[in-house]
Structure formats: structure tokens, C-alpha cells
Amino acid sequence: MSISRAGLLGLLMMLGCGDSALRVIPGTTTRVEAPVSEAGTELTLKIFTTEDECASLVKPDEADLCLPNVDRRNAEVRLAFQLKDNTGVFALPLTTDHIKVGHMGQELPVNHPEGFKYTLIPHNPRRSAQLFILLIDGSSSMSKGGRMKKVRSALLMPEVKAAFFPQDVTTRVAIYQFTDRGPQPLGGRMQLLQTPQEYTRLIQQELRVQQGYTHLFDAIRWATGPFLAQKSIKDLLENYGMTPTVVALTDGFNNQSARDTCRSNAKRLNGLLKHLERVRSADEETDARQRPSVYTVGLGRPLRPGFKLPAEKVEKVRPLDICGRRNVDKRIDGDLEERGIDNASLAWIARRAGGTSYVRQDKAGLGEAFRGAAAERYEWFEVRYKTHPAYLRRKFNTRIRLVNFATAEASVNFYPSAWLDAPPGRLTASGWTEPRPYRYTAVVLLPALGIAISLSFMGATLFNTRRVIFGRLRRPKAPLAPPGTPPSANPPGPPDPPDPPDPV
């Protein structure tokens, strides 16, 4: 028993020693300092490190999703955060494109050939007040293959209308069509639709194919600039706390003349991206909740099916980044637009404007895209990232930075145990591990410890058993007195055994 107590005492000292200001993460062998939020940012980024902080977000049996965890065997780190302003929780539809994760001062890529990566998992969805500005391509090509009919049917799906007009929050919907004449309000005048009935009637009666080229970039610039600058729109956003969300649908390329190529489009795209960055930056006086997001929807086949945006920010998009090296100088009108849609430009726009890009070919897919654009906001987020196991053997710092919507940043220092690891996580189909509870270690370790203790006693038990079986137990002789002691001082010992009888 004394050995067990000494071992337990040593374990407690090993885990508990050090700075008393450190917090022990429940169920792990890792400690953390109090997180530090960057001062002077528009939002506060709160990293959770205690059970009390997580109690209001998750159920007790789901605390592992909120509490930090360091899994050295699988080289994974997990932590959760929430964004707040002076009015409370600032819910957002974040993706990995909207944050940066740093480990020991180095920003991690979203994906890396050597396995370094991170992901973002949203939790606690909720609706928020929004102004939806729908920009629908009205160019001549929308008459081909019943494209406008597909768009009309998708917009009138019950689940799409429910997404644009949720019952628990206030929203408005403005619908415009764009061609080379610029964005035109559906029905001939600007309408801020308040009910699904108004929305349904306007689409059924007015959404038709127009004529002309596809001035997509100009339409997005107008919807995120002059349209929002109108006094009536600014008052609406401020009075209801609304966030403007632009949904732009096209079936091809930005195309302003018959001579346009990807090379000429690249300059226009870069101009639009700079505009979007400016209207969404912290330098603008507009409240963070009133900065627009842009979701892009492409109807048709992508020109570049395997296209992926680079992990790092690119200051200037090159022509080959849009259509590929072989198509840089090919005409859009009558050539590239016949082979697919400009999915690369749509992806660039959505990333820079805090939205998501969709490419769909049928009514059901379009409906899914419209519902995604009417995105639910989330109250808190879980970050998981993978690095090298050696980087998790000593104190390390993790930093999370918001790179879109508004400015926010925070960091936390981790102190893994130098002697013991928490239970390794269980690998899931997602490629990430799920933490095991700390009792998992006890279930595995205690039986093994019990066997070891039993084996330590087994040797002596077997030895004594053998002596009994073979009759080798003897009474011990009395100790002899020191030399010079009188004979009487030596007590008589046991009598000698009798001599054996003589043989007959």
C-alpha cells in the first residue's frame, strides 16, 4: 500500500507542480495559461479553457468538443472559440477561408503535403437579421437549355423561401437582374420584399431572360457599394441590425464585349477584388455587422473542374489563374462560355467577400446553393490542427486570427506534461481524431498494474510452496552466545536425533 501511495503522490506532484496561475485542462495532462485577446480589434475572440466557460455552450457529455485537447501521438491540437462585440455574441458563417491558425508564430496552411493542416467546425447555428440582394444573370445565354426556368423553379422551392424568410428573425429580399444595362430591379422599381407571398408573386410575374452581355463584376461592385450607400438601405441595416448578403448567379463569364478574353478579364477581376477588400476592411467606418458578404452561384459545367484556390492570400490574380495557361488568350464570347462557366473567378470573389462559391447544374443543386447563401450563423467554433509530434513536447503557443468580416485575434500558451500523455484519440472517418475520456487510461493501465503487482508476489509464494511440498522446512536453531560466555548462558538446544539402527 505504501508503494501505491508513493506512486500516486509522485504523479500528483508531477502534474501539479509549476506556476499556480496555470489551468489544468480537465481530463488531460496539459495545462494552459489564461488566453490573451488582442487589444484594439473590432471583435473579441474568446478561447475557451475551462469547464465553466463551456457549460453554457454544450451538454456535459459533449464537453470534449469545447475544451482544449493536445494529442501528441496523433500530433493534433483542438480548441474552441467565440466572437463577441459590445452587445454580446457575434454569430458568423465562418469557414477555413475566414481564419488563420498559427503554431509557435508560424501560420499553418489549410492543407499541406506533409500533413500540416487545420479545419474549422461550426456549432450552435442560429438565424440573424439579413438583407438579401439577389443578382440574377439576365443575358441572352440564360435562354439556352431552360436555364432561367431552372433558376425560377429553384428560387420558388419552399425550403429556399423558408431560408430567405425565416420566422424567428427579420429579413428583406431585393431582386435585380443584370446585363450590359447594369442591374435592374425586378418589376421596374426597387422593392424590399418582406413576405414569401410578395417574393413568389414578383418572381413568377417578372423573372424573364433579357438581352445583352454579362456585366457580372460591375453588378457585384454596385450591390456592395452604391446600393448599400443609399440612405434608405443604411437606415434599414442600422435599425434592424441587418447584415447585407449578396447572392450573384450567372451561367458563364463576366463578358463586356465580343473581344473579351481571360487576359482582359483578369484586370477587371483584380479591380473588383480590391473593391471588396476595401468595403469589408477594418478601415471602413461601417459597423462590422453591416459589411457585405458575397455568395456566387454558377449554373452549368465548370471550365476548370479541379480548380482549387491557393491556401495563401494572393495579391493579384493572373490570367492563367482564371482559365488555365492554354486558355489565357481565347475569346470568351462564342468560345470559352460554350465550354463552361468561369468557376475560378466565382471562387476568388466569394473568398475575398466572405462567402461561398457554388457550381450547380439542376434545380435541386441551385436550391441547395440558395439555401447555403442564406447561411445560418454560428455561435462558436471548434478548431483542429495537425502539426509534427515533436512540436507538442514542450510549451507552445496557438494563435487564431480572423481575416474576414472584421478584425479579431487571440492566443493561448499550452504546457504539455513532460512525463505523461493524455489518452490518444480515436481516428474517425473524417481523418481527425476524437478525444477519449481520461478514464480510458485507467481502464487500460490499472489491470496491467494489478497484474504487475501480482507477479511481484508470485515468486515468493511459489518458493514457499515448493519448500512445503518437498519437506524442507526446518526449525531455526537458537543463536549462539558470544565467545567467553559461561556455558550456562547457552541454553540447551534441541536434542540430537537418535543414531540410525545397525543393519541386520
Side-chain angles (χ1 to χ4, degrees), residues 263-458:
R263 188 179 298 279
S264 60
N265 245 8
K267 182 178 180 180
R268 298 166 186 158
L269 176 61
N270 282 307
L272 174 61
L273 296 180
K274 288 181 179 179
H275 162 78
L276 293 173
E277 187 169 6
R278 184 172 63 255
V279 299
R280 291 174 50 80
S281 71
D283 297 332
E284 289 287 309
E285 296 181 357
T286 306
D287 182 87
R289 294 183 186 272
Q290 298 180 21
R291 292 176 187 158
S293 301
V294 180
Y295 291 76
T296 56
V297 183
L299 172 57
R301 300 186 310 274
L303 179 69
R304 301 183 65 187
F307 174 78
K308 291 184 179 180
L309 290 169
E312 303 301 323
K313 179 180 178 181
V314 174
E315 294 296 332
K316 187 175 181 180
V317 179
R318 302 169 299 173
L320 60 88
D321 296 326
I322 301 176
C323 300
R325 194 175 301 277
R326 292 182 300 176
N327 297 321
V328 165
D329 293 312
K330 292 186 178 179
R331 286 175 48 186
I332 293 174
D333 189 19
D335 189 347
L336 294 180
E337 67 177 2
E338 299 296 329
R339 290 191 273 156
I341 59 176
D342 184 8
N343 59 302
S345 291
L346 297 182
W348 285 109
I349 293 169
R351 168 184 277 190
R352 193 64 58 91
T356 303
S357 182
Y358 301 88
V359 177
R360 300 293 187 267
Q361 300 183 37
D362 55 17
K363 168 187 168 181
L366 290 176
E368 176 191 355
F370 289 134
R371 295 196 306 275
E376 292 177 318
R377 271 56 178 162
Y378 296 88
E379 294 185 357
W380 65 281
F381 301 87
E382 181 187 345
V383 171
R384 303 181 188 182
Y385 72 87
K386 183 181 286 289
T387 183
H388 195 280
Y391 297 157
L392 305 180
R393 283 289 167 190
R394 59 181 66 185
K395 171 189 171 183
F396 65 88
N397 175 272
T398 298
R399 182 173 296 272
I400 302 175
R401 180 166 59 92
L402 187 65
V403 296
N404 223 318
F405 291 104
T407 58
E409 188 171 345
S411 64
V412 61
N413 288 325
F414 288 87
Y415 293 80
S417 169
W419 302 94
L420 292 177
D421 283 344
R426 177 179 59 85
L427 187 64
T428 65
S430 66
W432 297 89
T433 59
E434 294 294 339
R436 285 188 172 101
Y438 202 63
R439 61 179 178 270
Y440 173 83
T441 298
V443 171
V444 175
L445 181 61
L446 290 182
L449 184 61
I451 293 174
I453 294 174
S454 299
L455 291 175
S456 67
F457 287 102
M458 188 172 294

Side-chain angles (χ1 to χ4, degrees), residues 34 48 60 104-105 115 130 134 193 383 447:
F48 303 117
M104 296 301 293
Q130 294 184 73
L134 306 187
L193 307 174
V383 171

Side-chain angles (χ1 to χ4, degrees), residues 29 38 64 154 156 184 194 204 228 312 330 357 416 474:
T29 60
E38 193 72 19
D64 288 342
L156 294 177
Q184 301 294 318
Q194 303 184 42
Q204 288 178 337
L228 297 180
E312 303 301 323
K330 292 186 178 179
S357 182
R474 295 185 179 181

